[in-house]
Amino acid sequence: MSTELNVKNWSLLIDERQIAWLSINCPERSMNALSTQAMEELKTALDHLGQHTIRGLVFLSGKSNSFIAGADIKEFSNFSSPYDGKQLIERGWSLFNRIEKLPFPTLALIHGTCLGGGLELALASKYRLLIDTPTPALGLPEVMLGIYPAWGGLMRLPALIGPQAALDMILTGRTLDARKAQSLGLVDWVVAPRVARQSAAEWVLSGRPRRQAKGLAKWLNRQPLKRLVARQARKNVARKDPDAHYPAPRAIIDLWEQHNGNGLAAPDIVNRLLSSPVTANLIRVFQLQERLKAFGKQSGLPPVLQVHVIGAGVMGGAIAAWCALQGIKTTLQDTDYSRIANAFKAAAPLFARKDRLTAQAARDRLIPDPDGHGIATADLVIEAIYENIQAKQELYQKLEALMKPDAFLASNTSSLSIQALRSGLKRPERFLGIHFFNPVAKMPLVEIVHAEGISPQTIDRACAFAGQIGKLPLPVQDTPGFLVNAVLAPYMLEAMHCVDEGIDPEVIDKAMLAFGMPMGPIELADTVGLDIALAAGTQLSTGKPVPNCITRLVAQNKLGIKTGEGFYNWKDRKHGIRSNKPVPDGLTQRLITPLIEQARRQTEKGITEDDDLTDAGIIFGTGFAPFRGGPLHYRKTNFGKIP
Amino acid sequence: MTFKPVYIIDGARTPFLKARNAPGPFSASELAVQTSRSLLLRQSFSASDLDEVIVGCASPSTDETNIGRVVGLRIGTGYHVPAWTVMRNCASGMQALDSALTNIQTGRSHLVLAVGTDALSHAPILFSDKMVNWLSQWNTAKKPIQKLHAIRTFRPAYLAPVIGLLKGLNDPVVGISMGQTAENLAWKFGITRQEMDAYSVRSHQRTIEAQNCKQFDEITPIIDAQGNLYTDDDGVRRDSTPDKLAKLKAVFDRPSGNITAGNSSQVSDGAAALIVASAEAVQKWGLQPIGKITDSQWAALDPAQMGLGPVHASIPLLQRNGLRLQDPDLWEINEAFAAQVLGCIRAFASEEYCQEHFNTPAWGTLDQEKLNVDGGAIAIGHPVGASGARIVLHLLHALRARNLSKGVATICIGGGQGGAMLIETMKDEP
């Protein structure tokens, strides 16, 4: 018996056992979001149900790939005052409290992505069943936007799985897979799609008690042990964020410890979060990420079914391994088998993190191909050999003769010009740069290097390929250093000038770590390799002479991590060491300004389309302090002041 | 029966890796997948164009049930190419070829991937029957008092493991090991320890010579999950001398027997894959075959003398094709044991043996300069399921390298059988 419910986002069915099935399917969205409209309609649906005799209510999703991805982020950026934020919080808080207190049992039937408000809806339900396909991802990522799980997540998750696991999830924003979700008790059971409906129907009528944290976990939720948990959590946060750049984690711990996760009882904490520029900046970063993701979603283009990578070195091998892991048949070519085997060696830890069958399938897709047989059947050929223009051009001649007519060709070059490289090609319109960053598995950005004479279709296909393998494509003009390296070079060189002037490298790095960079510029130079940094610096120097210290070190063959010593001695040295010495006034400003100025110059030259894309590229390509919203945004909002 | 020739399009094998103390880095399916993948990569058709995949394997592990299908799916045939597994002990690889051959002859298939593979280092250690019975008693005991009773019946001796490999190398009907069948042949034909050891040293020398002259083009390097590269057969001994071998102790008939680890084939892991096709497929895909199988023969005999299987299989093959012993340009007789190969040579030359078993006069002395010219399983290794395919593949390569045209590949089979194939190059074809 279906029931009349005239709303856009939900549909309701009451079956012969009097179980109500309330299914969310937001129109014109690929994933469900709990927008204000969807929440209002949910309220309407609950009112409607009040007029019927219901024995149980199941929440489920009509989307193929996900349950609910969270609230509508766009609504966050439209707050004109903290009052709007408070209203949004209050609506969700009350509505989910109402769901918890409904006079009949409720069950959330979750599949795929279930984040933020979506997980909070599931937490408010009495039961949670998780379908194992497609690959689930459950989490409360609000902290990454500078806010907190305001619709009851901060109250209910600790009560369900214990405060230590809950705070870890909420403070890191990380997602759980099916196995973890079940072992932590976040979901009651994991089921296959073929028995999902049946299981939900039986479970919701089962009369089983609501799951709760038991034993030690239960006691940790109460004073006096609660204080200890909070103290430990604060210590962890202080370790990860010693300069207190991010207010949300500390606010979350306070809200939980003092107000049991109810933000409405602590309006000053919540107001501070909502009006913090960090929150606005993190939301901005999220939107920049969505913008880059959109470049990678090109409908109508056939996917890349086979990619051929030439060059099994650090970059080529990692690119090939990543493609294989993302499901693409990948042939990997180099001059001999041992070089190809090294790529497998480097990829072994990446594959080992996956379950046995996934790792096996990925290895089966990664095919050693020293004779280049894969070129003739590849949809995309990626060249990742050493940076020598002649060698590359000779290779391209051979490739062109063998490639499929509708395949395209890309180079991972970081220092050579695409326009120079293509001079011998018969069909230069299908050749461009696809520039990955090191390490390939971790860095989300891929620069799509274009120039006059490259067909728009080729550029679209390259962006779609980046999206296909889960990366964020950024179109950039073919100029030295493109965007990211062009911006990092003067930044690293300025740091080295400081070293020449006698400033301690550790103090320089500390200044930039305190600013919010993931790694100081001296450590970055040692990581990249001082020979490469010197070559890039010479090529990209903005008129200033090359610093003496790097010339000296390179002459002594002290090239950084790869030779065991560079600016630092890397035997037994860990990353991210902070010096105890004080940072002199003005040093931070001096160090970061070249990066910002170069970013501005590159944008003005039209390397990227606009300031926002420049910020996106630098954040996702270097890890530039996300809480500052990007170098150009920082410049606009903060020039001269460094908080 | 008219035998339509079946074309060998191409073939490849993995390096053969000697089984050492722990399970090796590759499972049987992994070996088959890697070499088949490399083989298919260089063809003008893809895995999904095959009509079927047949894998010969004597001991797949329990998570390789129907290893043929596992291999087919993993190399990318897609869902729609059928695949199956064959087992004829040591000739499982040759059986894969023979089954491909019969399906091509009947017109059922036109393009087939036939693989032989085994990872003997992965042979399981098993619980004894007594232990299994105790465990099932434990599992059915529900009440504490029943569990207690089960504990009291347990004996530590139940924990003694059964070595799967040893079981596998023991004949289940006549109850003697493969090595003991070789001792039988040594006794029957008066083959001495010195002769066996000298034969073995020569096997290593020929293999080393062939490695030096790059005669093993069919090997495709393989890479394990840690990224280690394997390029060559690793059991070959450069330091093998008759004196050293003379010091080794008998393994099967202790203490005074003649068969040692040094004059037996090595226990190894490896795979060999071949693509076979009908004449129609050759035309359809514009293929350049490297050779053809023009006849095959299976034979059976007393399990206690299984090593003479090659004699029983080769003779009908030669007879049917009007050939004398000296007519094939090259021979491959799988070296299960030096004594076994020497036993075959004696049998071919024995008037008494040939009259008794084949009603023919002696077939003559097989010229050892044409036999196992690039070494054999004593030096290279004998991954049971793979050997039957390896010797066909290498025979073809050896014929082509020397610009010769015809050869016989033959193998003895535990349980008392023999298999033989007549292989020809495309030399006399336009």
Side-chain angles (χ1 to χ4, degrees):
Chain A
M1 184 210 344
S2 80
T3 310
E4 295 272 321
L5 182 65
N6 264 326
V7 293
K8 295 202 176 73
N9 294 283
W10 302 84
S11 58
L12 177 64
L13 183 97
I14 302 179
D15 69 17
E16 60 290 348
R17 286 170 292 190
Q18 291 161 311
I19 300 174
W21 299 82
L22 188 56
S23 176
I24 179 170
N25 194 340
C26 303
E28 280 155 40
R29 280 182 199 262
S30 59
M31 286 204 185
N32 291 321
L34 292 173
S35 59
T36 302
Q37 185 195 52
M39 293 292 268
E40 286 296 314
E41 291 179 0
L42 177 55
K43 191 158 168 294
T44 308
L46 293 178
D47 293 338
H48 184 92
L49 282 175
Q51 298 160 15
H52 294 263
T53 321
I54 305 290
R55 291 175 59 207
L57 168 60
V58 176
F59 295 104
L60 67 163
S61 156
K63 299 286 184 205
S64 61
N65 59 357
S66 58
F67 183 64
I68 298 170
D72 189 343
I73 312 277
K74 288 195 209 54
E75 291 179 357
F76 289 12
S77 38
N78 289 337
F79 291 164
S80 48
S81 78
Y83 175 73
D84 292 334
K86 182 165 178 287
Q87 259 213 317
L88 187 76
I89 291 173
E90 201 275 336
R91 273 202 295 261
W93 175 265
S94 308
L95 186 57
F96 287 178
N97 281 352
R98 179 179 169 186
I99 288 175
E100 190 181 35
K101 294 185 172 47
L102 284 170
F104 39 80
T106 49
L107 180 145
L109 184 57
I110 307 167
H111 72 281
T113 307
C114 175
L115 302 173
L119 185 53
E120 289 179 292
L121 171 60
L123 287 168
S125 307
K126 188 174 181 190
Y127 308 112
R128 282 150 298 284
L129 281 188
L130 178 60
I131 308 180
D132 62 19
T133 311
T135 313
L138 287 76
L140 292 174
E142 287 87 343
V143 69
M144 306 210 274
L145 295 179
I147 51 181
Y148 75 102
W151 290 348
L154 188 52
M155 173 175 71
R156 296 192 175 96
L157 189 62
L160 180 64
I161 66 175
Q164 287 165 314
L167 283 179
D168 178 67
M169 270 184 79
I170 295 172
L171 292 173
T172 59
R174 68 187 176 94
T175 53
L176 303 183
D177 60 16
R179 203 170 42 95
K180 267 258 108 157
Q182 170 146 47
S183 67
L184 285 179
L186 176 56
V187 299
D188 292 281
W189 205 248
V190 177
V191 296
R194 57 189 171 266
V195 291
R197 289 265 175 150
Q198 199 171 302
S199 305
E202 281 173 16
W203 210 282
V204 79
L205 297 181
S206 65
R208 281 189 178 88
R210 189 190 213 284
R211 222 194 152 95
Q212 271 178 339
K214 286 198 277 278
L216 177 64
K218 186 172 82 161
W219 289 102
L220 290 173
N221 267 323
R222 306 180 184 186
Q223 297 294 7
L225 294 178
K226 194 171 187 177
R227 195 172 305 131
L228 295 176
V229 178
R231 198 187 322 163
Q232 184 61 38
R234 286 190 188 99
K235 264 200 216 142
N236 289 341
V237 169
R239 209 168 18 93
K240 288 210 201 115
D241 180 21
D243 309 284
H245 290 308
Y246 296 92
R250 291 168 177 86
I252 285 171
I253 299 170
D254 290 343
L255 281 173
W256 171 68
E257 194 196 2
Q258 293 151 20
H259 305 283
N260 205 27
N262 182 1
L264 298 171
D268 38 297
I269 298 181
V270 176
N271 281 343
R272 240 181 301 135
L273 273 189
L274 290 178
S275 47
S276 159
V278 172
T279 303
N281 284 341
L282 289 176
I283 292 175
R284 173 184 152 74
V285 170
F286 177 81
Q287 288 164 335
L288 291 176
Q289 186 184 41
E290 293 294 291
R291 193 168 165 204
L292 291 187
K293 258 199 213 159
F295 286 130
K297 288 191 191 132
Q298 307 265 353
S299 58
L301 287 175
V304 170
L305 294 176
Q306 192 213 319
V307 66
H308 184 80
V309 178
I310 306 181
V314 170
M315 288 308 286
I319 293 168
W322 183 259
C323 289
L325 193 58
Q326 299 304 311
I328 306 182
K329 180 171 164 187
T330 307
T331 41
L332 177 57
Q333 182 176 2
D334 205 313
T335 47
D336 63 69
Y337 262 99
S338 56
R339 295 171 75 95
I340 300 174
N342 283 340
F344 277 79
K345 222 179 215 127
L350 176 66
F351 291 163
R353 286 204 284 271
K354 308 290 173 187
D355 66 86
R356 190 183 68 91
L357 287 179
T358 307
Q360 180 178 278
R363 274 195 296 270
D364 284 348
R365 283 189 288 260
L366 185 55
I367 304 174
D369 186 10
D371 298 319
H373 294 292
I375 299 168
T377 48
D379 300 308
L380 165 62
V381 177
I382 300 178
E383 169 272 304
I385 67 173
Y386 59 107
E387 297 279 64
N388 175 301
I389 192 163
Q390 214 174 339
K392 287 187 199 273
Q393 284 173 329
E394 276 167 22
L395 176 61
Y396 298 158
Q397 301 276 39
K398 296 199 192 106
L399 291 174
E400 253 204 325
L402 295 165
M403 281 170 65
K404 282 197 307 198
D406 57 349
F408 66 113
L409 178 63
S411 173
N412 183 51
T413 184
S414 55
S415 60
L416 298 172
S417 157
I418 297 296
Q419 289 163 93
L421 285 171
R422 71 183 181 189
S423 57
L425 288 174
K426 294 194 188 70
R427 292 183 50 198
E429 71 277 8
R430 63 166 176 173
F431 171 73
L432 80 175
I434 300 183
H435 183 223
F436 288 82
F437 291 89
N438 196 5
V440 173
K442 263 184 66 182
M443 302 303 277
L445 186 76
V446 171
E447 285 175 320
I448 307 291
V449 187
H450 60 81
E452 203 61 48
I454 299 176
S455 78
Q457 207 217 16
T458 301
I459 300 171
D460 286 346
R461 290 175 79 188
C463 290
F465 166 71
Q468 190 184 340
I469 59 172
K471 296 292 183 199
L472 300 173
L474 174 68
V476 294
Q477 286 267 24
D478 179 29
T479 53
F482 313 132
L483 175 67
V484 172
N485 287 346
V487 153
L488 285 177
Y491 162 68
M492 287 196 287
L493 289 178
E494 186 63 33
M496 293 177 203
H497 282 299
C498 291
V499 173
D500 276 351
E501 288 171 22
I503 305 178
D504 187 349
E506 279 196 352
V507 170
I508 294 170
D509 277 354
K510 178 185 178 178
M512 287 291 92
L513 285 169
F515 180 80
M517 298 300 280
M519 202 189 270
I522 303 297
E523 191 176 320
L524 180 61
D526 266 1
T527 308
V528 163
L530 296 184
D531 50 342
I532 296 177
L534 180 57
T538 321
Q539 188 192 25
L540 300 167
S541 66
T542 46
K544 271 184 164 180
V546 175
N548 294 330
C549 53
I550 187 174
T551 320
R552 196 177 12 99
L553 285 167
V554 172
Q556 294 168 4
N557 206 42
K558 291 186 182 159
L559 303 178
I561 293 179
K562 64 188 177 192
T563 56
E565 195 182 342
F567 281 97
Y568 297 125
N569 187 327
W570 285 98
K571 185 167 185 284
D572 302 326
R573 187 192 170 94
K574 288 211 244 321
H575 286 270
I577 294 181
R578 282 185 182 235
S579 154
N580 288 330
K581 304 194 193 123
V583 175
D585 277 340
L587 180 62
T588 308
Q589 177 90 325
R590 176 180 170 185
L591 289 169
I592 201 64
T593 303
L595 189 153
I596 298 173
E597 285 310 303
Q598 189 68 19
R600 192 177 55 81
R601 258 179 249 127
Q602 294 297 92
T603 318
E604 269 170 22
K605 280 195 271 185
I607 310 301
T608 56
E609 242 180 76
D610 56 52
D611 286 358
D612 280 347
L613 288 178
T614 298
D615 277 347
I618 294 172
I619 293 170
F620 295 113
T622 72
F624 181 97
F627 68 92
R628 298 194 189 273
L632 296 183
H633 182 80
Y634 169 70
R635 180 178 182 275
K636 267 190 281 239
T637 56
N638 252 311
F639 195 60
K641 306 170 279 170
I642 301 205
Chain B
M1 176 196 91
T2 46
F3 193 105
K4 278 193 296 197
V6 164
Y7 294 93
I8 300 176
I9 304 306
D10 197 354
R13 72 170 175 89
T14 68
F16 281 11
L17 305 177
K18 184 172 172 163
R20 297 173 206 270
N21 283 323
F26 301 95
S27 65
S29 49
E30 187 67 40
L31 292 161
V33 164
Q34 288 210 24
T35 203
S36 301
R37 217 173 47 168
S38 296
L39 177 60
L40 281 163
L41 187 61
R42 60 192 192 221
Q43 309 306 321
S44 55
F45 49 85
S46 63
S48 52
D49 296 315
L50 296 166
D51 289 312
E52 60 178 334
V53 172
I54 310 176
V55 174
C57 183
S59 61
S61 76
T62 43
D63 43 49
E64 292 172 327
T65 314
N66 191 2
I67 189 173
R69 182 57 168 164
V70 170
V71 171
L73 287 173
R74 284 182 62 186
I75 61 172
T77 58
Y79 296 151
H80 302 290
V81 175
W84 49 303
T85 305
V86 295
M87 198 290 199
R88 202 194 287 243
N89 305 67
C90 319
S92 298
M94 189 177 280
Q95 180 63 60
L97 283 168
D98 198 55
S99 299
L101 192 153
T102 48
N103 277 356
I104 290 174
Q105 300 252 340
T106 55
R108 223 184 196 182
S109 295
H110 288 277
L111 192 63
V112 182
L113 175 68
V115 187
T117 183
D118 254 311
L120 296 182
S121 69
H122 284 251
I125 311 278
L126 308 160
F127 281 129
S128 65
D129 282 345
K130 287 208 172 83
M131 186 67 194
V132 173
N133 284 331
W134 185 84
L135 281 171
S136 75
Q137 192 194 0
W138 175 261
N139 280 331
T140 41
K142 298 294 176 213
K143 301 205 191 89
I145 189 83
Q146 291 170 327
K147 293 266 190 217
L148 191 61
H149 178 72
I151 293 175
R152 289 172 68 214
T153 62
F154 182 78
R155 299 279 169 274
Y158 292 173
L159 288 172
V162 172
I163 313 293
L165 188 61
L166 290 179
K167 282 252 168 178
L169 294 175
N170 232 56
D171 190 297
V173 178
V174 297
I176 58 173
S177 70
M178 297 299 110
Q180 287 168 328
T181 69
E183 292 277 11
N184 273 341
L185 298 186
W187 184 50
K188 182 181 174 71
F189 290 108
I191 302 167
T192 66
R193 172 72 184 265
Q194 286 81 351
E195 287 174 295
M196 296 177 207
D197 288 346
Y199 180 90
S200 306
V201 169
R202 193 181 69 188
S203 181
H204 282 276
Q205 283 171 343
R206 285 185 173 180
T207 305
I208 292 165
E209 180 68 25
Q211 281 180 339
N212 292 339
C213 299
K214 308 226 181 301
Q215 291 295 305
F216 292 122
D217 244 1
E218 67 264 31
I219 296 182
T220 57
I222 51 181
I223 301 172
D224 69 18
Q226 277 64 45
N228 300 310
L229 179 67
Y230 302 83
T231 51
D232 299 296
D233 302 322
D234 74 353
V236 187
R237 299 291 294 261
R238 283 176 157 64
D239 58 346
S240 190
T241 65
D243 290 336
K244 277 212 173 116
L245 292 185
K247 295 202 182 88
L248 295 175
K249 296 205 179 51
V251 173
F252 303 102
D253 278 340
R254 300 202 184 134
S256 320
N258 302 294
I259 316 290
T260 69
N263 56 38
S264 306
S265 60
Q266 290 169 43
V267 174
S268 304
D269 301 343
L274 293 93
I275 298 173
V276 284
S278 65
E280 290 92 325
V282 170
Q283 220 189 16
K284 171 179 172 186
W285 293 98
L287 304 173
Q288 309 269 37
I290 56 174
K292 45 194 174 165
I293 307 174
T294 51
D295 202 350
S296 75
Q297 176 73 40
W298 299 105
L301 66 159
D302 177 3
Q305 302 193 352
M306 68 91 198
L308 297 179
V311 179
H312 288 249
S314 307
I315 286 174
L317 192 76
L318 294 172
Q319 283 173 322
R320 204 161 46 236
N321 289 275
L323 297 168
R324 302 163 302 168
L325 194 70
Q326 58 265 43
D327 288 334
D329 298 310
L330 292 178
W331 281 79
E332 282 280 334
I333 301 180
N334 193 47
E335 296 174 354
F337 304 92
Q340 167 260 325
V341 179
L342 295 171
C344 290
I345 294 172
R346 300 277 224 271
F348 277 128
S350 159
E351 186 72 28
E352 188 191 331
Y353 192 85
C354 293
Q355 285 292 359
E356 183 189 340
H357 292 277
F358 311 111
N359 270 329
T360 70
W363 280 75
T365 305
L366 184 56
D367 178 3
Q368 293 197 38
E369 292 308 304
K370 294 158 89 173
L371 170 65
N372 298 341
V373 292
D374 291 325
I378 290 174
I380 294 173
H382 179 31
V384 171
S387 293
R390 180 190 78 77
I391 58 176
V392 168
L393 180 58
H394 190 72
L395 177 65
L396 192 50
H397 274 259
L399 287 168
R400 281 161 59 90
R402 294 159 178 74
N403 207 24
L404 298 168
S405 54
K406 205 176 291 218
V408 173
T410 176
I411 185 165
C412 59
I413 305 174
Q417 297 189 67
M421 284 192 159
L422 184 59
I423 306 296
E424 293 182 32
T425 60
M426 302 302 290
K427 193 164 167 247
D428 306 314
E429 213 135 313

